[in-house]
Amino acid sequence: MSSENADVGHEHEESSVWDVVVVGAGPAGASAAYAAAVAGRRVLLLEKAELPRYKTCGGGIIGYSRDSLPPGFELPLQDRIHAVTFSLNGRLARTRRSRRMLFGLINRPEFDAGLVEEAQMAGAELRTGATVSRVEQHGAAVPDRRTVAVVLSGGETVLARAVVGADGSAGRIGAHVGVKLDQVDLGLEAEIPVPETVAEDWAGRVLIDWGPMPGSYGWVFPKGDTLTVGVISARGDGGGTKRYLEDFIARLGLAGFEPKISSGHLTRCRSDDSPLSRGRVLVCGDAAGLLEPWTREGISFALRSGRLAGEWAVRVAESHDAVDARRQALNYAFAIKAGLGVEMSVGRRMLKLFERRPGMLHAVLTGFRPAWNAFAGITRGTTSLAELVRSHPLAQRALSAMDR
């Protein structure tokens, strides 16, 4: 073969290898694909379902989520929340109000589809109906040490210089990386259409109910003519969690309305020592076990970790050897742990406090204005749990007492 033909063959081989392949088109995956595509790389976004698709999720968009969206992205808000009613297992209800919006509410199908569209407009290519069966970094399917093979369920192999796993906490990529989980919770949710008079009563206001089981709570999120009603608690007592949801709905006077969707899901938090990468493969969002342990809020963690994963996947793709790829992957892990990891650590301690003293937490939030201001600051994104603990010695002492 002449050198000219050899160059043509090499170019063909390079063109068949994607710079970055992202598995999973939820908020984490779409954010990763967008970040890598904006950097000018060839990006393939794989999704096993057809879009849009339903996801069990309250759909709360706090300030950190809004700040992590692509520039100019218009949120498909169903409602803007200015008031929160807190109750303690149906008792001692008290409503706190704010002149400024606390957070917004979205439906996941429209939100996720919008994020995917942003990634596509940035240059990413989307393939739906593509289920990943495994990832290989060695073996016959891998042509060289700079390449990762993503094997689809139909037998097709997709090659990439870097892979981002955003396929959920039970996905293939997290298993490949070896993600370890130390907190698993069961969430149950119902989408309940309601008459206009009922919808008007809930407009602009959510309910948060501290539940009967340790660490459990329920919520009502209004979205036009539909109320998203859900509960969450530690996995292990599915019957108790189901009874809590049924009692919660009945207590709210909503038992007579037929849900259009009833669903459940597991949320999983990573262990402190859980890996975030393996070779040229990174994980983010639920696939990495990244979410806030107390509230189990995951959208902001998905958006932020997805963006970081996309940015560092570009650097991994550019690495010409295993040592440099490993260095870039470690930099990604450091960025995650320095930000989201700190928030998760504080969230774990808050969960312990909440499990032991839900009544005290309820009393503080409803009767102590600085606590309400802190809650409002977290929802608006002007502060975080970690920042609050760092800046308030009293909060530090309270959490330290829980650690003993």
Side-chain angles (χ1 to χ4, degrees):
M1 178 184 291
S2 69
S3 60
E4 182 178 348
N5 288 337
D7 289 341
V8 171
H10 180 68
E11 289 173 5
H12 175 73
E13 179 184 328
E14 285 293 313
S15 67
S16 67
V17 180
W18 296 88
D19 293 320
V20 178
V21 168
V22 180
V23 182
S31 296
Y34 174 85
V38 162
R41 299 303 182 265
R42 293 183 67 241
V43 180
L44 177 62
L45 178 57
L46 300 174
E47 168 59 43
K48 65 182 179 180
E50 297 297 329
L51 299 177
R53 79 282 188 262
Y54 179 79
K55 284 284 186 180
T56 304
C57 178
I61 302 295
I62 63 174
Y64 277 123
S65 295
R66 293 195 302 270
D67 294 344
S68 302
L69 295 169
F73 183 85
E74 293 207 12
L75 279 166
L77 291 180
Q78 301 298 309
D79 205 342
R80 291 168 171 82
I81 301 306
H82 289 79
V84 181
T85 298
F86 297 98
S87 62
L88 183 63
N89 197 20
R91 300 175 292 107
L92 306 174
R94 183 170 182 182
T95 300
R96 286 286 198 174
R97 302 185 183 276
S98 171
R99 293 180 181 177
R100 294 170 54 202
M101 186 178 84
L102 296 167
F103 57 97
L105 297 176
I106 52 92
N107 287 322
R108 282 289 301 276
E110 293 85 0
F111 179 66
D112 290 13
L115 289 174
V116 169
E117 186 176 339
E118 291 286 339
Q120 289 178 285
M121 288 191 294
E125 182 174 320
L126 171 68
R127 284 183 59 182
T128 58
T131 300
V132 173
S133 61
R134 67 183 185 278
V135 174
E136 297 181 7
Q137 301 195 63
H138 308 282
V142 183
D144 57 61
R145 293 184 179 181
R146 288 189 60 210
T147 307
V148 181
V150 180
V151 183
L152 306 185
S153 59
E156 179 186 353
T157 297
V158 177
L159 302 179
R161 298 297 181 207
V163 171
V164 176
D167 53 340
S169 59
R172 302 288 187 179
I173 313 302
H176 173 80
V177 168
V179 173
K180 295 185 289 184
L181 307 163
D182 67 358
Q183 177 186 326
V184 183
D185 297 288
L186 171 64
L188 300 177
E189 197 166 72
E191 303 284 352
I192 305 177
V194 293
E196 185 177 350
T197 53
V198 177
E200 288 175 352
D201 183 55
W202 284 98
R205 176 176 66 95
V206 302
L207 168 65
I208 297 176
D209 177 72
W210 313 119
M213 296 170 287
S216 67
Y217 75 96
W219 61 88
V220 178
F221 285 0
K223 299 172 184 176
D225 61 358
T226 299
L227 300 180
T228 298
V229 184
V231 300
I232 195 164
S233 66
R235 183 179 66 173
D237 185 5
T241 306
K242 184 179 180 182
R243 284 191 298 275
Y244 176 29
L245 177 62
E246 291 170 347
D247 293 345
F248 187 43
I249 290 174
R251 199 164 62 218
L252 293 167
L254 300 173
F257 303 115
E258 184 69 25
K260 63 180 177 182
I261 298 175
S262 295
S263 61
H265 72 297
L266 296 176
T267 65
R268 299 173 171 92
C269 289
R270 69 187 295 272
S271 306
D272 279 335
D273 61 345
S274 180
L276 290 161
S277 67
R278 177 180 173 186
R280 291 176 174 267
V281 179
L282 312 178
V283 286
C284 60
D286 286 345
L290 291 167
L291 71 156
E292 201 282 293
W294 173 33
T295 63
R296 290 80 156 186
E297 190 278 321
I299 294 179
S300 76
F301 279 68
L303 293 170
R304 288 182 283 172
S305 64
R307 185 188 71 245
L308 288 171
E311 292 170 352
W312 286 107
V314 168
R315 294 172 172 84
V316 171
E318 293 171 344
S319 302
H320 289 283
D321 57 53
V323 173
D324 191 36
R326 175 63 175 163
R327 182 183 302 114
Q328 304 305 334
L330 287 173
N331 286 337
Y332 165 67
F334 177 80
I336 291 292
K337 292 175 182 178
L340 300 181
V342 173
E343 292 181 34
M344 289 187 71
S345 178
V346 175
R348 287 189 184 95
R349 297 162 75 186
M350 282 297 299
L351 178 61
K352 288 183 180 179
L353 174 61
F354 174 50
E355 288 173 338
R356 298 180 190 181
R357 304 289 296 277
M360 183 188 74
L361 185 68
H362 178 72
V364 169
L365 267 175
T366 57
F368 187 49
R369 179 158 290 277
W372 163 250
N373 291 339
F375 176 90
I378 291 170
T379 61
R380 294 191 188 110
T382 57
T383 188
S384 69
L385 272 175
E387 290 168 350
L388 284 170
V389 171
R390 280 196 297 264
S391 60
H392 289 79
L394 184 60
Q396 293 176 16
R397 289 198 293 271
L399 289 181
S400 296
M402 289 296 104
D403 290 335
R404 290 196 289 268

